[in-house]
Amino acid sequence: MQAPMAYDPRSHTVVLFGGLAGPGAELAGATWSFDGSAWRSRTTSHVPVSGPHGAFRGMMAGDPALNTLVLEGLDGGQQGNTYTWTGSDWVAPAAAACPGKTFCRAQAGLAFDPAGGRLILAAGGAQSPTNQTDAWDGHSWSEVKTPTPVSPEVSSAVSDAARGVVVAITCSGETWILVGDNWTMAHPLHRPGSMLQGCALAYDPRDKVDVLVGVPETDHAVTVMWVWDGQDWRQIPTT
């Protein structure tokens, strides 16, 4: 549970790192990959953590322009770093560290910008939230000067390949769209209700929609699913 996971364009597998081993358990530092038929435990020389319990809270996204997978976030000691996946090990580029001014962040939006050909990190926070947007060049982060900053409450983002934009969501139901360096808040007819922290977005290439999954604040025992078609949100029954 609560593990960053993303598609790796280099190995054509899904990679998962960390996560809760069980209810109330510490976040583990294990790496797994999925090839479409089976999960495989990966033994790595380096583990992206320095906390006493191997804890890591962060985001992961594929960068097809650089043909790699990027992991960014905080460890159990409230420190952090940026790592790339070689296909067999995690590597921290010498200049990587974390985006300037705001340090490493958790619960942010990390997604590939198909129009700009870059990986972007939006909002999130460590000790306090930020509305900063940063771009990754394979070695380090640089701040993107956005005329309208994104909401600091953004919790997840996705590369919307069908529309060539980045779509970001807050767990209160706000939808933000990145075109170039400009963030705009969408005003659809329908919008997801407020959810607990941890709502997550993913792109469905078959139906060309963005899928949102979360737990509503009104009922912690259920999971809700919504899809975004570029114009409006539509709730999908989960039972």
Side-chain angles (χ1 to χ4, degrees):
M1 297 184 290
Q2 298 182 3
M5 180 174 69
Y7 177 75
D8 176 23
R10 175 184 296 176
S11 64
H12 304 293
T13 61
V14 172
V15 177
L16 178 147
F17 176 77
L20 291 170
E26 293 289 347
L27 286 137
T31 300
W32 292 77
S33 64
F34 181 68
D35 62 7
S37 59
W39 285 98
R40 175 188 172 194
S41 177
R42 308 299 300 270
T43 300
T44 61
S45 299
H46 303 91
V47 180
V49 295
S50 61
H53 302 292
F56 187 92
R57 299 179 186 274
M59 300 75 57
M60 189 191 302
D63 187 337
L66 298 174
N67 199 33
T68 190
L69 191 63
V70 177
L71 176 70
E72 190 274 355
L74 298 164
D75 63 26
Q78 294 302 306
Q79 302 297 314
N81 211 328
T82 301
Y83 302 86
T84 59
W85 176 244
T86 67
S88 59
D89 198 12
W90 292 105
V91 175
C98 303
K101 297 183 181 179
T102 58
F103 309 101
C104 280
R105 302 180 329 233
Q107 295 178 344
L110 180 66
F112 182 73
D113 174 11
R118 59 189 176 175
L119 194 71
I120 63 99
L121 176 66
Q127 285 79 16
S128 60
T130 179
N131 58 10
Q132 184 173 314
T133 299
D134 297 274
W136 172 253
D137 65 4
H139 302 282
S140 60
W141 293 96
S142 60
E143 184 177 358
V144 178
K145 301 297 183 180
T146 55
T148 301
V150 72
S151 167
E153 295 181 359
V154 159
S155 181
S156 184
V158 69
S159 177
D160 188 325
R163 284 154 283 277
V165 299
V166 172
V167 177
I169 190 81
T170 71
C171 287
S172 62
E174 291 181 1
T175 304
W176 289 80
I177 312 294
L178 179 67
V179 180
D181 291 345
N182 300 311
W183 284 105
T184 58
M185 189 171 74
H187 298 281
L189 181 61
H190 305 93
R191 60 180 275 177
S194 185
M195 302 181 191
L196 297 176
Q197 290 184 343
C199 54
L201 275 171
Y203 179 69
D204 176 0
R206 184 188 65 179
D207 294 333
K208 296 181 172 56
V209 294
D210 304 322
V211 181
L212 172 67
V213 178
V215 177
E217 288 188 344
T218 54
D219 188 349
H220 301 177
V222 302
T223 299
V224 295
M225 182 181 297
W226 292 74
V227 295
W228 171 256
D229 62 7
Q231 299 294 326
D232 201 7
W233 286 101
R234 174 171 54 91
Q235 188 169 2
I236 302 296
T238 55
T239 55

